[in-house]
């Protein structure tokens, strides 16, 4: 009874056989038979697809990151209500008003930024980038506010900045 398993010597002998070398040479010829024009066309198509997917990937990554930061921004204020009441001596109703102002301005300005991004700008990553910068500036200014009306105005501006990030 013969086994189907080849020994090491048999593998070496088969690799040295002229039939295997002829097969390899034929496959090399078939691989190199692609013309220069066909190769350059393939490279150009691959370059266009890579650039397009890279821009889309950046846009998607920015949108996902902005959504994650927005969700954390929305969750952190109610978590800090007790310390804000103590430090700034603001009532819980005033802190709720701040959240309301941000949500109200965001919901009213979001359709405008969506229309602006789709019809007029045509370059959504720039809008998202500028929205993130304005959101950061407004957030830092909010941290420095001591009076309620300053915080209320800044929270309204924060809603506009958030609407520009996620149109």
């Amino acid at each position: 009874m013969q086994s189907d398993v080849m020994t090491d010597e048999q593998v070496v002998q088969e690799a040295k056989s002229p039939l295997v070398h002829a097969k390899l040479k034929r496959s090399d010829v078939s691989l190199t038979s692609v013309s220069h024009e066909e190769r350059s066309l393939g490279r150009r198509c691959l370059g266009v697809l890579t650039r397009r997917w890279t821009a889309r990937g950046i846009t998607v990554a920015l949108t996902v990151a902005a959504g994650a930061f927005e969700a954390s921004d929305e969750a952190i204020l109610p978590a800090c209500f007790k310390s804000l009441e103590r430090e700034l001596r603001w009532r819980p109703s005033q802190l709720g008003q701040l959240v309301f102002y941000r949500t109200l301005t965001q919901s009213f300005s979001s359709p405008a930024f969506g229309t602006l991004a789709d019809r007029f700008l045509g370059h959504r990553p720039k809008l998202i980038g500028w929205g993130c910068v304005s959101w950061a500036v407004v957030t830092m200014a909010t941290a420095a506010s001591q009076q309620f009306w300053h915080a209320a105005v800044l929270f309204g501006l924060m809603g506009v900045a958030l609407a520009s990030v996620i149109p």
Side-chain angles (χ1 to χ4, degrees):
M1 178 175 192
Q2 286 187 343
S3 164
D4 288 338
V5 178
M6 296 174 63
T7 65
D8 291 340
E9 292 172 9
Q10 290 172 333
V11 170
V12 170
Q13 286 298 328
E14 188 167 328
K16 289 182 180 178
S17 76
L19 182 62
V20 170
H21 287 289
K23 285 181 183 177
L24 287 174
K25 285 182 183 177
R26 271 187 270 142
S27 67
D28 287 343
V29 169
S30 67
L31 287 175
T32 57
S33 66
V34 177
S35 70
H36 177 69
E37 290 107 17
E38 291 172 337
R39 279 195 301 256
S40 65
L41 178 65
R43 286 187 189 125
R44 282 187 305 212
C45 290
L46 183 63
V48 168
L49 286 174
T50 304
R51 282 192 300 271
R52 185 180 306 149
W53 283 108
T54 302
R56 286 183 184 162
I58 289 170
T59 304
V60 169
L62 282 173
T63 305
V64 168
F69 284 120
E70 180 191 10
S72 65
D73 188 36
E74 288 176 358
I76 201 162
L77 184 66
C80 298
F81 271 5
K82 283 290 183 193
S83 61
L84 288 172
E85 284 178 46
R86 211 171 336 139
E87 292 290 322
L88 299 173
R89 302 199 193 293
W90 291 347
R91 296 184 311 274
S93 62
Q94 289 176 313
L95 295 170
Q97 284 176 352
L98 292 178
V99 175
F100 174 72
Y101 295 148
R102 182 184 64 201
T103 306
L104 186 70
T105 56
Q106 183 177 357
S107 63
F108 279 125
S109 57
S110 188
F113 279 109
T115 303
L116 183 69
D118 289 341
R119 294 191 182 156
F120 301 112
L121 288 180
H123 197 65
R124 199 174 286 252
K126 281 186 182 179
L127 179 66
I128 294 171
W130 282 109
C132 288
V133 168
S134 62
W135 180 19
V137 168
V138 171
T139 301
M140 286 188 284
T142 303
S145 65
Q146 292 293 318
Q147 296 182 356
F148 177 74
W149 72 272
H150 290 153
V153 169
L154 289 170
F155 266 78
L157 290 174
M158 190 184 302
V160 172
L162 284 171
S164 68
V165 171
I166 305 173

